Amino acid sequence: MSAPARRAVRLGLISALTLAATLLGPAHLPSADAAAPAAVPSPPAKSVVTWAASADRLGDAPGDRSYRLVLRTSVGGKGLRIRVSNAFGDRPLVIGSAYAGLRDSGALLRRGSNKRLTFGGETSVTLAPGEIRYSDPVPGKVAAMSDLAVSLYVRDTGGPASGHGMAMQTSYATSGEHTAEEDGGAYTERLGSWFYLDAVTVDADRDTGGVVTLGDSITDGWQSSSDRNLRWPDYLARRLHASADGTVKGVANAGISGNKVLADGAAQSALKRLDRDVLSLPGVRTVVLFEGVNDLKSHSGVTAAALIEGYREVIDRSHAAGLCVVGATVLPFKGWSEWDPQGEAVRTQVNEWIRTSGEADAVADFDKVLRSPYDAQRILPTFDGGDHLHPNDKGMQAMADSVAPASLECERG
């Protein structure tokens, strides 16, 4: 069977599954831990994601607690909304109040910038287990490349929190309700994770779109400098913002440290979390698919054929949603403790398929950019973060600089 014919068959199966889920209705959808999480409500069509951090199950978290979560926007616009998540909670989450303002330094906000957020006109919101909710839009503009602070007062919770474990960004917390305060003095606890917040959107020009980087710890930013926004998606966001050409300006980071394409472990597999973390985000036109090293280095016996089928499913489901896919080659990792010739052989086969199959709409050859000319199985030392798997800040920038902006402008209709 030819490649186009195989793709047609796979798309037919995906469409049939989507139709079946629609006919069955919400009561028959799996829980948040299952392969197909409940549908996420979408904001208006002109909204574009300006920041995202994929949620996972964190440890138990107490109630009566305020969080001041610090993040960097990518695209600017009006009508800022936040997306709060109880995707992995096993009991209701009550957010008693929420604010968004511009961060000055630490937990200190710029005077007069802290604006109350509402949910359906109410200042508090209760999320059922597995539920995800958007806030109402906040009047006014938010600039691109802004340091934003989202403050959430979690009045009642318990059990596992939903959030992003490895933020590479310092946020803050305190007991009691302090969300409206701008001075930040009450926020004495420093955090390395984002709690309950998984996306921020803005209303941008109708021709403005976004890209989601689906990945693992390399995309999550491990070995990049903390609190400096030097992950490779951050470099990409700055590059797109500075360019006068192109309409893709929003960048959403859907990397989770340790994540795999095929198997659960460090978070749900990429296949299970694709709908929630990628396809549900507004304004997205393109997905950069950059996963696989954790599958092939885990000594689980994953074959190139199995990993390629996983890639094909991500590509087909993204195409079915009208998105384009940039396939990124898997980086070399010789010198890492789990490297072996068997895993290297799988990596070589997989990268050859990414480069030559034509099933993705474009290719970002990160392997070619970062590998050593003296040993193609290793990262070039100048790009090596020190563990022979994760790039340093220079490596992160080299990856972002190698992404062709035109490849992100792909239109599938």
Side-chain angles (χ1 to χ4, degrees):
M1 185 182 295
S2 67
R6 287 197 304 271
R7 179 174 293 178
V9 171
R10 291 196 301 273
L11 286 173
L13 290 173
I14 290 169
S15 298
L17 290 171
T18 302
L19 177 60
T22 302
L23 294 174
L24 285 172
H28 296 272
L29 290 174
S31 67
D33 279 332
V40 180
S42 296
K46 62 182 178 180
S47 286
V48 177
V49 62
T50 187
W51 174 89
S54 300
D56 191 11
R57 183 189 301 274
L58 303 183
D60 290 358
D64 188 29
R65 185 169 173 81
S66 293
Y67 297 89
R68 181 150 288 174
L69 307 170
V70 179
L71 58 99
R72 174 69 63 88
T73 64
S74 55
V75 64
K78 301 177 181 179
L80 177 142
R81 297 170 174 84
I82 67 169
R83 197 172 85 170
V84 288
S85 176
N86 194 24
F88 296 92
D90 59 9
R91 63 202 73 186
L93 166 68
V94 181
I95 297 177
S97 64
Y99 282 75
L102 297 176
R103 199 269 292 258
D104 186 316
S105 61
L108 175 67
L109 305 185
R110 293 187 191 176
R111 187 179 298 275
S113 70
N114 205 26
K115 306 298 183 184
R116 182 187 287 276
L117 294 158
T118 59
F119 299 83
E122 302 294 329
T123 58
S124 65
V125 63
T126 299
L127 278 70
E131 187 176 4
I132 297 171
R133 183 81 66 88
Y134 280 98
S135 72
D136 302 324
V138 176
K141 295 182 179 180
V142 176
M145 303 294 131
S146 295
D147 281 346
L148 193 69
V150 174
S151 302
L152 303 175
Y153 171 57
V154 178
R155 186 165 62 213
D156 191 14
T157 182
S162 299
H164 190 83
M166 194 181 79
M168 304 300 294
Q169 171 68 58
T170 302
S171 292
Y172 305 88
T174 187
S175 59
E177 214 285 58
H178 298 276
T179 54
E181 300 170 11
E182 293 186 330
D183 62 20
Y187 289 90
T188 56
E189 182 180 345
R190 296 164 66 89
L191 303 174
S193 302
W194 289 299
F195 285 79
Y196 305 110
L197 177 72
D198 77 344
V200 178
T201 73
V202 294
D203 293 344
D205 295 337
R206 289 192 178 274
D207 62 347
T208 301
V211 56
V212 182
T213 58
L214 177 61
D216 47 42
S217 57
I218 300 173
T219 298
D220 215 2
W222 184 242
Q223 296 291 7
S224 69
S225 298
S226 295
D227 292 321
R228 294 182 59 192
N229 297 299
L230 297 181
R231 314 164 193 86
W232 77 262
D234 299 322
Y235 279 110
L236 179 62
R238 285 191 286 273
R239 184 176 174 214
L240 296 175
H241 173 67
S243 174
D245 299 324
T247 59
V248 173
K249 301 295 184 181
V251 178
N253 189 328
I256 297 182
S257 180
N259 199 227
K260 298 178 181 179
V261 176
L262 302 176
D264 294 348
Q268 294 175 326
S269 70
L271 297 178
K272 286 186 180 180
R273 67 187 186 92
L274 181 67
D275 288 347
R276 181 183 64 247
D277 292 350
V278 178
L279 304 185
S280 71
L281 295 174
V284 175
R285 293 186 190 158
T286 303
V287 183
V288 179
L289 172 56
F290 179 44
E291 292 222 39
V293 70
N294 290 315
D295 296 77
L296 61 89
K297 73 179 180 59
S298 60
H299 304 294
S300 62
V302 169
T303 64
L307 193 50
I308 287 168
E309 280 307 305
Y311 290 147
R312 280 176 168 151
E313 182 176 338
V314 173
I315 292 168
D316 288 346
R317 287 166 60 189
S318 298
H319 283 169
L323 308 185
C324 297
V325 179
V326 175
T329 51
V330 181
L331 294 183
F333 64 100
K334 189 176 182 180
W336 176 263
S337 61
E338 295 173 290
W339 183 91
D340 61 21
Q342 292 76 25
E344 179 63 27
V346 174
R347 187 182 75 89
T348 300
Q349 295 173 60
V350 163
N351 282 351
E352 181 66 14
W353 178 85
I354 292 170
R355 293 183 180 108
T356 64
S357 70
E359 297 205 30
D361 301 282
V363 174
D365 202 342
F366 292 159
D367 167 55
K368 183 179 179 180
V369 171
L370 265 62
R371 72 191 181 204
S372 170
Y374 311 106
D375 186 348
Q377 298 174 352
R378 292 181 179 270
I379 296 178
L380 188 67
T382 192
F383 294 142
D384 192 340
D387 62 11
H388 313 301
L389 173 66
H390 300 91
N392 57 19
D393 294 343
K394 289 183 179 179
M396 295 285 183
Q397 184 172 10
M399 291 166 65
D401 288 348
S402 74
V403 177
S407 69
L408 308 180
E409 298 288 335
C410 176
E411 295 283 353
R412 295 194 68 87

